[in-house]
Coordinates of all heavy atoms in Angstrom, one line a residue:
A1704 N 20.7 -1.0 14.5 CA 21.2 -1.8 15.6 C 22.3 -2.6 15.1 O 23.5 -2.7 15.7 CB 20.1 -2.7 16.2
I1705 N 22.3 -3.2 13.9 CA 23.4 -3.9 13.3 C 24.6 -3.1 13.1 O 25.7 -3.5 13.4 CB 23.0 -4.7 12.0 CG1 21.9 -5.7 12.2 CG2 24.1 -5.3 11.3 CD1 21.2 -6.2 11.0
K1706 N 24.4 -1.9 12.5 CA 25.6 -1.0 12.3 C 26.3 -0.6 13.7 O 27.5 -0.7 13.8 CB 25.0 0.4 11.7 CG 24.5 0.1 10.3 CD 24.0 1.5 9.7 CE 23.5 1.4 8.4 NZ 22.9 2.7 7.8
V1707 N 25.4 -0.4 14.7 CA 26.0 0.1 16.0 C 26.8 -1.1 16.5 O 28.0 -0.9 17.1 CB 25.0 0.5 16.9 CG1 25.6 0.9 18.3 CG2 24.3 1.8 16.4
L1708 N 26.2 -2.2 16.6 CA 26.9 -3.4 17.1 C 28.2 -3.8 16.4 O 29.2 -4.2 17.0 CB 25.9 -4.6 17.1 CG 24.7 -4.5 18.1 CD1 23.7 -5.6 17.9 CD2 25.2 -4.5 19.6
R1709 N 28.1 -3.7 15.1 CA 29.2 -4.0 14.3 C 30.3 -3.0 14.7 O 31.5 -3.4 14.8 CB 28.9 -3.9 12.8 CG 30.0 -4.3 11.9 CD 29.7 -3.9 10.5 NE 30.8 -4.3 9.6 CZ 30.9 -4.0 8.4 NH1 29.9 -3.2 7.7 NH2 31.9 -4.3 7.5
Q1710 N 30.0 -1.7 14.8 CA 31.0 -0.6 15.0 C 31.6 -0.9 16.4 O 32.8 -0.6 16.6 CB 30.4 0.7 14.9 CG 31.3 1.8 15.1 CD 30.7 3.2 14.8 OE1 29.5 3.2 14.8 NE2 31.4 4.2 14.9
A1711 N 30.7 -1.4 17.3 CA 31.3 -1.6 18.8 C 32.0 -2.9 19.0 O 32.5 -3.2 20.0 CB 30.0 -1.5 19.8
G1712 N 32.0 -3.7 17.8 CA 32.8 -5.0 18.0 C 32.0 -6.2 18.5 O 32.4 -7.2 18.7
Y1713 N 30.6 -6.0 18.6 CA 29.8 -7.0 19.0 C 29.3 -7.8 17.8 O 28.1 -7.7 17.4 CB 28.6 -6.5 19.8 CG 28.9 -6.1 21.2 CD1 29.6 -4.9 21.4 CD2 28.6 -6.8 22.4 CE1 29.9 -4.4 22.8 CE2 28.9 -6.4 23.6 CZ 29.6 -5.2 23.9 OH 29.9 -4.8 25.1
Y1714 N 30.2 -8.6 17.2 CA 29.9 -9.2 15.9 C 28.9 -10.3 16.1 O 28.0 -10.5 15.2 CB 31.2 -9.8 15.3 CG 32.2 -8.7 15.0 CD1 33.6 -8.8 15.5 CD2 31.9 -7.5 14.3 CE1 34.5 -7.9 15.2 CE2 32.9 -6.6 14.0 CZ 34.2 -6.7 14.5 OH 35.1 -5.8 14.3
S1715 N 29.0 -11.0 17.1 CA 28.0 -12.1 17.3 C 26.5 -11.6 17.4 O 25.6 -12.2 16.9 CB 28.3 -13.0 18.5 OG 28.3 -12.2 19.7
H1716 N 26.4 -10.6 18.2 CA 25.1 -10.0 18.3 C 24.6 -9.4 17.0 O 23.4 -9.5 16.7 CB 25.1 -8.9 19.4 CG 25.5 -9.4 20.8 ND1 26.7 -9.6 21.2 CD2 24.7 -9.7 21.8 CE1 26.7 -10.1 22.4 NE2 25.5 -10.1 22.9
A1717 N 25.6 -8.7 16.3 CA 25.1 -8.2 15.0 C 24.7 -9.3 14.0 O 23.8 -9.2 13.3 CB 26.3 -7.4 14.4
L1718 N 25.5 -10.3 14.0 CA 25.1 -11.5 13.2 C 23.8 -12.2 13.5 O 23.1 -12.6 12.7 CB 26.2 -12.6 13.3 CG 27.6 -12.3 12.5 CD1 28.6 -13.4 13.0 CD2 27.4 -12.2 11.1
Y1719 N 23.5 -12.2 14.9 CA 22.2 -12.7 15.2 C 21.1 -11.9 14.7 O 20.1 -12.4 14.2 CB 22.2 -12.7 16.8 CG 20.8 -13.2 17.4 CD1 20.5 -14.5 17.5 CD2 19.9 -12.1 17.6 CE1 19.3 -14.9 18.0 CE2 18.6 -12.5 18.2 CZ 18.3 -13.8 18.4 OH 17.1 -14.2 18.8
A1721 N 21.2 -9.8 12.1 CA 21.2 -9.9 10.7 C 20.5 -11.2 10.2 O 19.8 -11.3 9.3 CB 22.6 -9.7 10.1
H1726 N 18.6 -9.7 7.2 CA 19.4 -8.6 6.6 C 20.7 -9.4 6.1 O 21.7 -9.3 6.7 CB 19.8 -7.6 7.7 CG 18.7 -6.7 8.0 ND1 18.5 -5.5 7.4 CD2 17.6 -6.9 8.8 CE1 17.4 -4.8 7.8 NE2 16.8 -5.7 8.7
H1727 N 20.5 -10.0 4.9 CA 21.5 -10.8 4.4 C 22.8 -10.1 4.0 O 23.9 -10.6 4.3 CB 20.9 -11.6 3.1 CG 19.7 -12.2 3.3 ND1 19.4 -13.1 4.3 CD2 18.5 -12.1 2.7 CE1 18.2 -13.5 4.2 NE2 17.6 -12.9 3.2
E1728 N 22.7 -8.9 3.5 CA 23.8 -8.2 3.1 C 24.8 -7.9 4.4 O 26.0 -7.9 4.3 CB 23.5 -6.9 2.4 CG 22.8 -7.0 1.1 CD 22.5 -5.8 0.5 OE1 23.0 -4.7 0.8 OE2 21.7 -5.7 -0.6
W1729 N 24.1 -7.4 5.4 CA 24.9 -7.1 6.7 C 25.5 -8.4 7.2 O 26.7 -8.3 7.7 CB 24.0 -6.5 7.7 CG 23.7 -5.0 7.3 CD1 22.5 -4.5 6.9 CD2 24.6 -4.0 7.5 NE1 22.7 -3.2 6.8 CE2 23.9 -2.8 7.0 CE3 26.0 -3.9 7.9 CZ2 24.6 -1.5 7.1 CZ3 26.6 -2.5 7.8 CH2 25.9 -1.5 7.4
Y1730 N 24.8 -9.5 7.2 CA 25.4 -10.7 7.7 C 26.7 -11.1 6.9 O 27.6 -11.5 7.5 CB 24.3 -11.9 7.5 CG 24.8 -13.1 8.2 CD1 24.6 -13.5 9.5 CD2 25.5 -14.1 7.3 CE1 25.0 -14.7 10.0 CE2 25.9 -15.3 7.9 CZ 25.6 -15.6 9.2 OH 26.1 -16.8 9.8
L1731 N 26.5 -11.0 5.6 CA 27.7 -11.3 4.8 C 28.8 -10.3 4.8 O 30.0 -10.7 4.8 CB 27.3 -11.5 3.3 CG 26.2 -12.7 3.0 CD1 25.7 -12.5 1.6 CD2 26.9 -14.0 3.3
K1732 N 28.5 -9.1 5.1 CA 29.6 -8.0 5.2 C 30.3 -8.4 6.5 O 31.6 -8.3 6.5 CB 28.9 -6.8 5.4 CG 28.6 -6.0 4.0 CD 28.0 -4.5 4.3 CE 27.7 -3.9 2.9 NZ 27.2 -2.6 3.2
I1733 N 29.6 -8.7 7.6 CA 30.4 -9.0 8.8 C 31.2 -10.3 8.7 O 32.3 -10.3 9.1 CB 29.3 -9.1 10.0 CG1 28.5 -7.7 10.2 CG2 30.0 -9.5 11.2 CD1 27.4 -7.7 11.1
Q1734 N 30.6 -11.2 8.1 CA 31.3 -12.6 8.0 C 32.6 -12.4 7.2 O 33.7 -12.9 7.4 CB 30.5 -13.6 7.4 CG 29.3 -14.1 8.3 CD 29.9 -15.0 9.4 OE1 31.0 -15.1 9.7 NE2 29.0 -15.7 10.2
L1735 N 32.5 -11.6 6.0 CA 33.6 -11.6 5.0 C 34.5 -10.4 5.3 O 35.8 -10.6 5.1 CB 33.0 -11.3 3.7 CG 32.1 -12.4 3.1 CD1 31.5 -12.0 1.8 CD2 32.9 -13.7 2.9
E1736 N 34.1 -9.3 5.9 CA 35.0 -8.1 6.0 C 35.5 -8.1 7.5 O 36.6 -7.5 7.7 CB 34.2 -6.8 5.8 CG 33.7 -6.8 4.3 CD 33.0 -5.6 4.0 OE1 32.9 -4.7 4.9 OE2 32.4 -5.5 2.9
D1737 N 34.7 -8.5 8.4 CA 35.1 -8.5 9.8 C 35.7 -9.7 10.4 O 36.8 -9.8 11.0 CB 34.0 -7.9 10.7 CG 33.5 -6.6 10.2 OD1 34.3 -5.8 9.8 OD2 32.2 -6.3 10.3
I1738 N 35.0 -10.8 10.3 CA 35.4 -12.1 11.0 C 36.2 -12.9 9.9 O 37.0 -13.8 10.4 CB 34.1 -12.8 11.3 CG1 33.2 -12.0 12.3 CG2 34.4 -14.2 12.0 CD1 31.9 -12.7 12.7
K1739 N 36.1 -12.7 8.6 CA 36.8 -13.5 7.6 C 36.4 -14.9 7.6 O 37.3 -15.7 7.3 CB 38.3 -13.3 7.8 CG 38.8 -11.8 8.0 CD 38.6 -11.0 6.8 CE 39.3 -9.6 6.9 NZ 39.1 -8.8 5.8
N1740 N 35.2 -15.2 7.9 CA 34.8 -16.6 7.9 C 34.0 -16.9 6.7 O 32.8 -16.8 6.5 CB 33.8 -16.8 9.1 CG 33.5 -18.3 9.4 OD1 33.7 -19.1 8.5 ND2 32.9 -18.6 10.5
Y1741 N 34.9 -17.2 5.6 CA 34.4 -17.4 4.3 C 33.5 -18.7 4.2 O 32.5 -18.6 3.4 CB 35.5 -17.4 3.3 CG 36.4 -16.3 3.4 CD1 37.7 -16.3 4.0 CD2 36.0 -14.9 2.8 CE1 38.6 -15.2 4.1 CE2 36.9 -13.8 3.0 CZ 38.1 -14.0 3.6 OH 38.9 -12.9 3.7
E1743 N 31.6 -20.0 6.4 CA 30.2 -19.7 7.0 C 29.4 -18.8 6.1 O 28.3 -18.9 6.0 CB 30.3 -19.1 8.4 CG 29.1 -18.8 9.0 CD 28.3 -20.1 9.3 OE1 28.8 -21.2 9.4 OE2 27.0 -19.9 9.4
A1744 N 30.1 -17.8 5.5 CA 29.5 -16.9 4.6 C 28.8 -17.7 3.4 O 27.7 -17.5 2.9 CB 30.3 -15.9 4.0
Y1763 N 29.5 -10.8 -3.8 CA 30.7 -11.4 -3.1 C 31.4 -12.6 -3.7 O 32.2 -13.2 -3.1 CB 30.2 -11.7 -1.7 CG 29.5 -10.6 -0.9 CD1 28.2 -10.6 -0.7 CD2 30.3 -9.5 -0.5 CE1 27.5 -9.7 0.1 CE2 29.6 -8.5 0.3 CZ 28.3 -8.5 0.5 OH 27.6 -7.6 1.2
I1766 N 35.3 -12.4 -3.9 CA 36.1 -12.7 -2.7 C 36.0 -14.1 -2.3 O 37.0 -14.7 -1.9 CB 35.4 -11.8 -1.5 CG1 35.5 -10.3 -1.9 CG2 36.1 -12.0 -0.3 CD1 34.8 -9.4 -0.9
L1767 N 34.9 -14.7 -2.5 CA 34.8 -16.1 -2.1 C 35.6 -17.0 -3.0 O 36.2 -17.9 -2.7 CB 33.3 -16.6 -2.1 CG 32.4 -15.9 -1.0 CD1 31.0 -16.3 -1.4 CD2 32.8 -16.4 0.3
H1770 N 39.3 -17.0 -2.1 CA 39.7 -17.6 -0.9 C 39.2 -19.2 -0.8 O 40.1 -20.1 -0.3 CB 39.1 -17.0 0.4 CG 39.7 -15.6 0.7 ND1 39.2 -14.5 0.1 CD2 40.7 -15.3 1.4 CE1 39.9 -13.5 0.5 NE2 40.8 -13.9 1.3

Side-chain angles (χ1 to χ4, degrees):
I1705 294 172
K1706 292 179 182 177
V1707 174
L1708 292 171
R1709 182 190 181 194
Q1710 186 177 4
Y1713 285 77
Y1714 299 127
S1715 60
H1716 296 79
L1718 287 174
Y1719 175 85
H1726 286 265
H1727 310 307
E1728 294 184 10
W1729 283 108
Y1730 184 92
L1731 294 172
K1732 279 184 179 180
I1733 296 171
Q1734 289 284 14
L1735 295 174
E1736 299 175 8
D1737 300 324
I1738 304 178
K1739 310 294 185 182
N1740 191 344
Y1741 305 105
E1743 182 60 27
Y1763 302 109
I1766 299 175
L1767 293 171
H1770 292 89

